[in-house]
Amino acid sequence: MLPVSQAETIIFNLVQPLDAQRDAEVVTLLTAIDRILAAPVTSALDFPHWDNSAMDGYAVRYEDVLQCSEQQPAVLEIVEEIPAGREPQRIIQPGQAARILTGAVMPAGADTVVIQEQTRREGKRVLILAAPEPQAFVRHRASFYRAGTPLLPRGITINAPEIAVLAAAQCTHLKVYRRPRVALMSTGNELVTPDQPLQHGQIVDSNHYALAALVAQTGAEPLQLGIQPDQPAALKNAIAMALATADVVVSSGGVSVGDYDYVEQILASLKAEIHISSVALKPGKPLTVARFPASAASNQKPVLYFGLPGNPASALVSFWRFVQPALKKLSGISHSWGPMFVLARSRHELRSDGKRETYLWGQLHLVDGGYEFQLAAGSHSAGNLINLAQTNGLAVVPVGQKLISAGEQIQVLQVGSPIVIT
Ligand code: AMP
Ligand code: MG
């Protein structure tokens, strides 16, 4: 039984991120949200594209206004008006100014903008009532970004600010990593789909739905292979099929020590390298992690296999703790793919047997900028999925610790947005 931290190291080292050349696709700007950039972006445009005004006011020659004041204003002749988008027609000469609006191109000859609030208009003239700083309120060409230098690096997630940058740079098509493909299957003779009538003793395959949702939320594509019976031949067939299309296979059930737990022996018969068989994690001790190595001969890419325990809470906790970060690393993202732990104050006493790293589900609240952990009411049995609803955090009780008192600071694995208490 491996400690959680060792299992984590083994798993994350097994993950090879997608290849930026081979595993990329082109998407349009509006469909790029949440995707991961597979190639760095540069632009042929300077930002700003030209010297322009940051304010509504008057474009002037600094030397004409450097000594003016409210008592002794500089008086300048207005020779043209330049709204945003219009090309200036005149070169500003000594004693002249142009009315200018935010974003408009600076006219030649002028080097400074005096904001409207520090002027008084008198017909065709403007009085400058205060001396500005030299070059005030001029946004200089290329002062934000110089054409040809790196604009956005590979491996970042495209969110609204990146979309704005890319739109401004007129990048309408982008190279992003394809979504990792994750084959999902549930093993168990007792399982039925949610739409089937339930016979006595049967269990609804909830894991498939929960795992498909988590895979999609992680930005990967779930491939649903459904329920597989506890029969070695059928299971072997299903796994072999999954290997052809998926980057990762996630099964639930059948990895324990029961008479019907065949997953590990099938993996071995398919020549997988088995790296992990069990982890000192509660819930979720049985966990099989294997890898099918790449084979040039059969043009086979490496495939990672996660055999999660069947109990619903165990399956979800193992997914959150190990599979989700592995999928993120695989996706090509260059940062923040690891599990997110935050420090929170526990509102309750938390208990464990001290033998395995224990994850207790509940809610993470954000109160006055600090996190608090609210333990889910009801049974924390691995077979209970009812009180998993609304879980957004898992409090960690480390090995060797049996009791955490209410009010103590604890590590919480964040698995959803915290509830903000205002
Ligand atoms: P196993 O790991 O196969 O021994 O399963 C352990 C427990 O989890 C059993 O009670 C199963 O009925 C239950 N279980 C297994 N697979 C699923 C599933 N896909 N959805 C919900 N419960 C499951
Ligand atoms: Mg089973």
Side-chain angles (χ1 to χ4, degrees), residues 186-188 190-191 203-208 230 252-256 261 286 308-312 385:
S186 300
T187 72
E190 75 281 25
L191 300 177
I203 287 185
V204 177
D205 173 18
S206 57
N207 287 348
H208 202 80
D230 293 315
S252 78
V255 289
S256 204
D261 296 335
L308 308 184
N311 272 314
L385 58 72

Side-chain angles (χ1 to χ4, degrees), residues 60-69 72 74 112 114 128 130-134:
V60 303
R61 300 161 63 96
Y62 176 68
E63 60 192 46
D64 285 353
V65 296
L66 82 172
Q67 279 177 344
C68 68
S69 65
Q72 289 192 308
T112 298
V114 179
I128 309 295
E133 295 289 317

Side-chain angles (χ1 to χ4, degrees), residues 401-417:
Q401 212 166 338
K402 292 188 173 169
L403 176 71
I404 288 173
S405 311
E408 271 190 60
Q409 293 285 325
I410 45 157
Q411 294 281 350
V412 176
L413 176 64
Q414 191 176 334
V415 299
S417 303

Side-chain angles (χ1 to χ4, degrees), residues 2 63 83 104 176 214 221 276 292 313 315 350 358 386-387 391 407 419:
L2 279 176
E63 60 192 46
V176 298
L214 281 171
E221 186 189 338
I276 296 175
F292 293 88
L350 304 176
T358 299
I386 300 303
N387 69 348
T391 294
I419 292 173

Side-chain angles (χ1 to χ4, degrees), residues 218-240:
T218 313
E221 186 189 338
L223 309 169
Q224 307 193 7
L225 303 187
I227 297 169
Q228 300 299 330
D230 293 315
Q231 285 166 12
L235 211 48
K236 188 169 174 175
N237 243 342
I239 294 174

Side-chain angles (χ1 to χ4, degrees), residues 349-407:
E349 226 175 62
L350 304 176
R351 290 182 180 276
S352 146
D353 62 8
K355 293 187 186 134
R356 288 184 274 160
E357 191 165 304
T358 299
Y359 287 68
L360 298 166
W361 49 96
Q363 285 190 338
L364 204 51
H365 291 225
L366 194 54
V367 187
D368 293 334
Y371 287 112
E372 293 184 6
F373 179 74
Q374 171 88 29
L375 186 69
S379 164
H380 281 251
S381 143
N384 182 16
L385 58 72
I386 300 303
N387 69 348
L388 276 170
Q390 303 204 61
T391 294
N392 63 6
L394 303 166
V396 185
V397 186
V399 174
Q401 212 166 338
K402 292 188 173 169
L403 176 71
I404 288 173
S405 311

Side-chain angles (χ1 to χ4, degrees), residues 117-263:
E117 292 82 346
Q118 293 183 336
T119 65
R120 190 163 69 242
R121 180 86 180 242
E122 290 184 351
K124 287 246 168 239
R125 301 183 318 165
V126 61
L127 277 57
I128 309 295
L129 306 174
E133 295 289 317
Q135 310 202 11
F137 300 111
V138 178
R139 302 170 181 148
H140 289 282
R141 174 174 184 164
S143 60
F144 302 159
Y145 169 80
R146 185 164 298 284
T149 58
L151 183 64
L152 295 176
R154 174 174 37 227
I156 61 166
T157 305
I158 299 169
N159 285 309
E162 290 74 29
I163 298 245
V165 169
L166 291 161
Q170 300 189 307
C171 299
T172 55
H173 291 75
L174 311 170
K175 210 169 156 192
V176 298
Y177 287 96
R178 67 170 173 82
R179 295 182 188 282
R181 292 188 284 265
V182 183
L184 294 173
M185 65 182 97
S186 300
T187 72
N189 292 334
E190 75 281 25
L191 300 177
V192 293
T193 54
D195 55 351
Q196 280 177 293
L198 199 59
Q199 307 295 323
H200 190 73
Q202 291 185 322
I203 287 185
V204 177
D205 173 18
S206 57
N207 287 348
H208 202 80
Y209 294 81
L211 295 173
L214 281 171
V215 165
Q217 264 183 358
T218 313
E221 186 189 338
L223 309 169
Q224 307 193 7
L225 303 187
I227 297 169
Q228 300 299 330
D230 293 315
Q231 285 166 12
L235 211 48
K236 188 169 174 175
N237 243 342
I239 294 174
M241 245 176 62
L243 293 180
T245 44
D247 301 294
V248 175
V249 182
V250 178
S251 65
S252 78
V255 289
S256 204
V257 293
D259 294 342
Y260 296 92
D261 296 335
Y262 296 120
V263 169

